[in-house]
Amino acid sequence: MKRGPPDAVKAGDMSTAGTMLITQANMLDMMFNRLARKAAYSEYLSQMEANLRHALRAQARCRATLEALAEIKNPRPIAFVKQQNVGYNVQVNNGTAPPTVSRTHEESGDQSNKLLEHQHGEWLDTGAAAKVGRGNQAMATVDESDRAEDRQG
C-alpha cells in the first residue's frame, strides 16, 4: 500500500518533499529567465525596473528553495553543548561542589592580612624601595642635566 505525502513525511521519507522542492526551484528559475528577458526588451525604464525587480526576487526564492533542499538531503550535525562561557577570566567547575565558606568572625580571623600573603609567612609587598641600576634606567630620577631650563619670559 502506497502512503500519502503526510504519512511518508511522518515516517521519515522526505523524497516527496525533495521532488516538490526541485519542481519549485525549476519554476522559479523559469520565472527568473522569462522576467529577465522581458526586462531586457522593455521599452520604458519603469517597466524594465519592475520586471528586473521581480526577476531578482524569483532568483532569490530559487536559491532559498535549493538551500532548503540541500538542508533536507545533508542535515547539519547537531552539537549539544552543556555550557558555553563567553567572557574574560571566567572559571567554571562543573560537577564539583563549591567550597563552604564560614561568615563568622571567630573562624575567619583578620582577612586583610591574609590577602597580602603569597604563601604562609611570605609577604608580597616587602616595603623596601628598589635600587636604581643600569637595567632599569627608565625608572631613574631626573638628573640636573636632564631637566628643562626654566624659561620665563
Side-chain angles (χ1 to χ4, degrees):
M1 171 171 118
K2 181 148 170 105
R3 296 184 200 185
D7 295 330
V9 171
K10 287 179 185 176
D13 182 18
M14 298 299 288
S15 61
T16 307
T19 305
M20 180 189 67
L21 287 172
I22 286 289
T23 305
Q24 182 179 353
N26 284 334
M27 283 300 296
L28 287 166
D29 186 47
M30 288 186 337
M31 288 173 60
F32 165 74
N33 288 323
R34 182 156 188 183
L35 287 166
R37 202 174 312 116
K38 198 172 181 181
Y41 293 110
S42 294
E43 190 174 337
Y44 300 105
L45 183 63
S46 60
Q47 288 176 339
M48 183 183 75
E49 184 181 358
N51 286 325
L52 207 53
R53 187 179 309 116
H54 289 300
L56 292 175
R57 280 186 187 159
Q59 185 186 40
R61 299 282 181 181
C62 179
R63 179 196 51 79
T65 302
L66 291 174
E67 282 181 1
L69 180 65
E71 184 71 30
I72 288 173
K73 296 289 183 182
N74 302 315
R76 294 183 204 150
I78 298 172
F80 293 100
V81 179
K82 183 177 178 183
Q83 181 174 357
Q84 178 181 2
N85 296 314
V86 179
Y88 186 73
N89 289 339
V90 176
Q91 178 181 355
V92 175
N93 298 323
N94 287 330
T96 60
T100 57
V101 179
S102 175
R103 297 289 181 198
T104 61
H105 183 66
E106 294 83 35
E107 292 180 27
S108 64
D110 190 8
Q111 291 292 322
S112 60
N113 287 340
K114 288 185 180 179
L115 294 176
L116 295 176
E117 291 181 357
H118 178 64
Q119 293 177 352
H120 182 66
E122 182 181 327
W123 293 83
L124 292 176
D125 186 13
T126 59
K131 290 185 179 180
V132 176
R134 284 197 161 310
N136 195 4
Q137 292 187 0
M139 296 300 293
T141 56
V142 178
D143 198 9
E144 291 272 340
S145 62
D146 294 331
R147 294 185 183 167
E149 295 178 20
D150 188 19
R151 295 183 189 175
Q152 296 178 357

